[in-house]
Amino acid sequence: MKIICVGMNYAAHNKEMQRALLMSEPTIFMKSDTSLLKDGKPFYIPDFSSDVQYEAEIVVKISRLGKCIDRKFASRYYEEVTIGIDMTARDLQQKLKKDGLPWEISKAFDNSAVIGKFVSLKEEGLDMNAIPFKLDIDGKAVQQGNTADMIFKTDEIIEYVSRFITLKMGDLIFTGTPAGVGRVEINNLLQGYINDRKLLDFQIK
């Protein structure tokens, strides 16, 4: 199982991160299989970072094997989605970027890919290109987004990624985060929603 992530996929988030980018292709990075955190288990802040930040996003589960998938057929390769959190050790990421070094360890550390319960697009009546989602922390909305605002849509991402990497059943694609990212603190309660349905519920330890 692979965890494939898309960076810088919402213009408002790029603005808040002070990135002035006009990209012609998606920005892709990977998380490890040990990054996965699910079933409402708590997230423990690691000792190597003093600034772990949440990035809520829609996560797509790949449902069949595919390589060099044409965009017009990409929707055949997924059936379920959820809301997830791309946990980022921001201080470590910034240091590595400043030194011109790869920053995977700031994104791919253990338990950094938090996912909620998957739901069927068909059964929920969801349009992949118009999914509203939000993240609450301690009962207050901190991020609100809609896949309609993604710079690169899911089918474009699948087409692009599958040129380089064979997609397999069970692979996950984190599609990018909207504006509103911030630091997590011990005892925070994070709850993620698609529409009004809560799919993600876990605590920071």
Side-chain angles (χ1 to χ4, degrees), residues 32-99:
S32 64
D33 58 353
T34 60
S35 299
L36 194 65
L37 182 67
K38 58 182 182 177
D39 301 327
K41 294 178 181 177
F43 173 84
Y44 289 86
I45 295 176
D47 59 6
F48 53 76
S49 175
S50 59
D51 186 15
V52 174
Q53 297 192 5
Y54 59 84
E55 298 187 10
E57 44 201 272
I58 293 296
V59 182
V60 176
K61 182 190 291 185
I62 297 299
S63 60
R64 58 192 292 191
L65 181 72
K67 173 69 175 175
C68 295
I69 302 164
D70 191 286
R71 187 180 313 179
K72 65 185 178 183
F73 301 124
S75 62
R76 300 178 183 179
Y77 289 80
Y78 58 89
E79 300 171 0
E80 296 179 309
V81 297
T82 191
I83 184 166
I85 309 288
D86 167 18
M87 291 292 191
T88 303
R90 192 72 70 196
D91 47 356
L92 181 57
Q93 183 188 41
Q94 290 174 343
K95 179 182 183 300
L96 292 165
K97 282 185 174 181
K98 182 180 178 181
D99 294 340

Side-chain angles (χ1 to χ4, degrees), residues 2-185:
K2 301 183 289 296
I3 302 174
I4 299 160
C5 306
V6 184
M8 301 177 284
N9 204 24
Y10 285 81
H13 173 58
N14 292 341
K15 183 176 181 180
E16 76 174 346
M17 299 301 290
Q18 299 180 336
R19 302 188 189 106
L21 298 174
L22 292 174
M23 298 174 295
S24 60
E25 297 178 333
T27 298
I28 303 298
F29 62 95
M30 309 281 285
K31 286 179 179 275
S32 64
D33 58 353
T34 60
S35 299
L36 194 65
L37 182 67
K38 58 182 182 177
D39 301 327
K41 294 178 181 177
F43 173 84
Y44 289 86
I45 295 176
D47 59 6
F48 53 76
S49 175
S50 59
D51 186 15
V52 174
Q53 297 192 5
Y54 59 84
E55 298 187 10
E57 44 201 272
I58 293 296
V59 182
V60 176
K61 182 190 291 185
I62 297 299
S63 60
R64 58 192 292 191
L65 181 72
K67 173 69 175 175
C68 295
I69 302 164
D70 191 286
R71 187 180 313 179
K72 65 185 178 183
F73 301 124
S75 62
R76 300 178 183 179
Y77 289 80
Y78 58 89
E79 300 171 0
E80 296 179 309
V81 297
T82 191
I83 184 166
I85 309 288
D86 167 18
M87 291 292 191
T88 303
R90 192 72 70 196
D91 47 356
L92 181 57
Q93 183 188 41
Q94 290 174 343
K95 179 182 183 300
L96 292 165
K97 282 185 174 181
K98 182 180 178 181
D99 294 340
L101 299 172
W103 41 262
E104 266 71 17
I105 58 172
S106 71
K107 286 278 194 179
F109 58 90
D110 289 351
N111 299 324
S112 63
V114 190
I115 58 170
K117 177 184 176 182
F118 279 91
V119 294
S120 165
L121 287 163
K122 183 177 180 180
E123 291 176 7
E124 297 292 319
L126 296 172
D127 176 355
M128 189 64 233
N129 293 321
I131 298 177
F133 63 99
K134 71 167 184 168
L135 175 69
D136 288 358
I137 296 184
D138 299 333
K140 179 182 178 181
V142 294
Q143 279 190 287
Q144 297 188 62
N146 193 302
T147 56
D149 298 323
M150 287 164 51
I151 297 170
F152 299 100
K153 306 303 184 189
T154 299
D155 292 355
E156 295 176 77
I157 294 165
I158 288 173
E159 179 183 60
Y160 180 78
V161 170
S162 68
R163 287 175 56 201
F164 307 97
I165 303 168
T166 298
L167 296 177
K168 295 185 176 182
M169 186 181 298
D171 287 348
L172 304 179
I173 299 179
F174 280 64
T175 58
T177 192
V181 303
R183 183 181 303 187
V184 295
E185 305 286 352

